[in-house]
């Protein structure tokens, strides 16, 4: 019975995800689901990308957290439309939550919406939210074993970002191990090396995202 209920929940989420996709397509908006552990650098990467993209595209942000609104306030201080989505304990964002919160954003005036998912390498990977693109962040301090431990997160993503890459000399991080495991579970998917602190690699990642936004608008 528990398995049956789980399948019912997942099927329902997929249905709502498709409805969200339809809404976004009607507004020619590319929605990007940013996933990763707490402290991986999701918010900082999004702020760096906003600076790269805002001259060309109109950006909005949905900040997902279990509680609080610190990150949404940080994004709003940049002059970007931002809304806070608190899950009150849930370890992931579901499509229904996105469907309910989208009207809080000025959809007619946006080209791209970044969704910062809950910090977690398990649950967010299982729930589609109507996104056009999935980005998974792995920071160097987290360790090089995460692709093996959490394969779905790295399999069901459109690209992997190695963040805090400037810290590589200071940690026992086997990059080749990550590359080999990522290439096995997600062959052909791109990988970017960035440092949100120094700005290294952000321009290349922004170029990739720009291509995805234009695809959503075509």
């Amino acid at each position: 019975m528990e398995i049956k209920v789980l399948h019912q929940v997942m099927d329902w989420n997929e249905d709502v995800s498709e409805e969200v996709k339809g809404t976004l397509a009607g507004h020619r908006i590319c929605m990007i689901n940013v996933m990763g552990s707490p402290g991986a650098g999701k918010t900082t990467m999004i702020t760096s990308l906003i600076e790269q993209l805002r001259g060309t595209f109109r950006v909005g942000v949905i900040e997902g957290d279990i509680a609080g609104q610190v990150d949404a306030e940080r994004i709003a201080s940049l002059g970007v439309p931002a809304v806070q989505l608190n899950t009150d304990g849930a370890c992931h964002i579901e499509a229904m939550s996105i469907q309910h919160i989208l009207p809080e954003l000025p959809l007619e005036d946006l080209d791209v919406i970044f969704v910062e998912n809950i910090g977690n390498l398990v649950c967010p990977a299982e729930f589609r939210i109507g996104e056009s693109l999935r980005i998974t962040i792995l920071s160097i301090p987290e360790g090089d074993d995460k692709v093996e431990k959490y394969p779905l997160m790295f399999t069901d993503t459109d690209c992997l970002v190695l963040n805090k890459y400037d810290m590589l000399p200071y940690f026992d991080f086997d990059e080749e191990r990550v590359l080999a495991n990522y290439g096995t579970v997600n062959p052909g998917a791109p990988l970017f090396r960035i440092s949100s602190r120094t700005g290294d690699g952000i321009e290349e990642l922004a170029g990739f995202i720009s291509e995805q936004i234009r695809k959503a608008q075509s």
Side-chain angles (χ1 to χ4, degrees):
M1 178 60 72
E2 290 181 0
I3 295 176
K4 181 179 179 181
V5 170
L6 176 61
H7 280 305
Q8 287 175 342
V9 169
M10 299 297 284
D11 290 345
W12 170 77
N13 187 80
E14 285 296 319
D15 291 341
V16 179
S17 177
E18 289 302 315
E19 292 174 7
V20 171
K21 275 187 176 181
T23 299
L24 295 171
H27 292 277
R28 300 174 70 236
I29 294 174
C30 176
M31 189 166 74
I32 300 173
N33 186 359
V34 180
M35 303 178 293
S37 299
K42 297 185 294 298
T43 308
T44 303
M45 184 194 75
I46 290 171
T47 58
S48 298
L49 287 170
I50 287 171
E51 295 303 329
Q52 287 284 329
L53 297 169
R54 69 192 309 172
T56 306
F57 302 106
R58 300 166 298 173
V59 184
V61 177
I62 296 172
E63 276 292 338
D65 283 298
I66 290 177
Q69 56 185 32
V70 174
D71 290 339
E73 291 172 349
R74 179 178 171 187
I75 296 294
S77 71
L78 301 176
V80 170
V83 292
Q84 183 70 49
L85 197 169
N86 288 340
T87 64
D88 297 324
C91 61
H92 61 276
I93 293 174
E94 295 181 1
M96 179 63 78
S97 297
I98 297 295
Q99 189 176 59
H100 286 163
I101 208 168
L102 279 179
E104 302 297 321
L105 288 170
L107 300 182
E108 296 292 342
D109 300 318
L110 296 178
D111 301 306
V112 57
I113 298 172
F114 287 97
V115 178
E116 180 175 342
N117 217 312
I118 307 301
N120 191 321
L121 287 177
V122 182
C123 306
E126 299 178 354
F127 288 83
R128 291 278 171 178
I129 58 172
E131 67 271 53
S132 305
L133 181 73
R134 287 184 148 199
I135 296 177
T136 296
I137 303 180
L138 173 64
S139 67
I140 298 302
E142 290 179 71
D144 53 30
D145 59 354
K146 297 301 178 287
V147 181
E148 295 162 81
K149 288 184 174 181
Y150 308 98
L152 181 61
M153 175 60 72
F154 298 91
T155 300
D156 199 6
T157 190
D158 296 298
C159 74
L160 173 61
V161 174
L162 288 183
N163 194 20
K164 305 182 184 180
Y165 198 72
D166 55 310
M167 302 182 75
L168 187 63
Y170 309 105
F171 286 86
D172 185 15
F173 186 94
D174 186 347
E175 184 177 357
E176 291 303 316
R177 179 183 183 182
V178 172
L179 294 177
N181 289 320
Y182 182 55
T184 298
V185 301
N186 203 344
L191 180 146
F192 298 90
R193 300 166 178 85
I194 71 166
S195 168
S196 297
R197 184 180 66 84
T198 66
D200 291 343
I202 293 292
E203 186 173 351
E204 182 183 2
L205 177 59
F208 170 74
I209 291 173
S210 295
E211 293 176 4
Q212 310 310 308
I213 298 172
R214 292 189 177 99
K215 286 180 183 178
Q217 294 177 331
S218 61

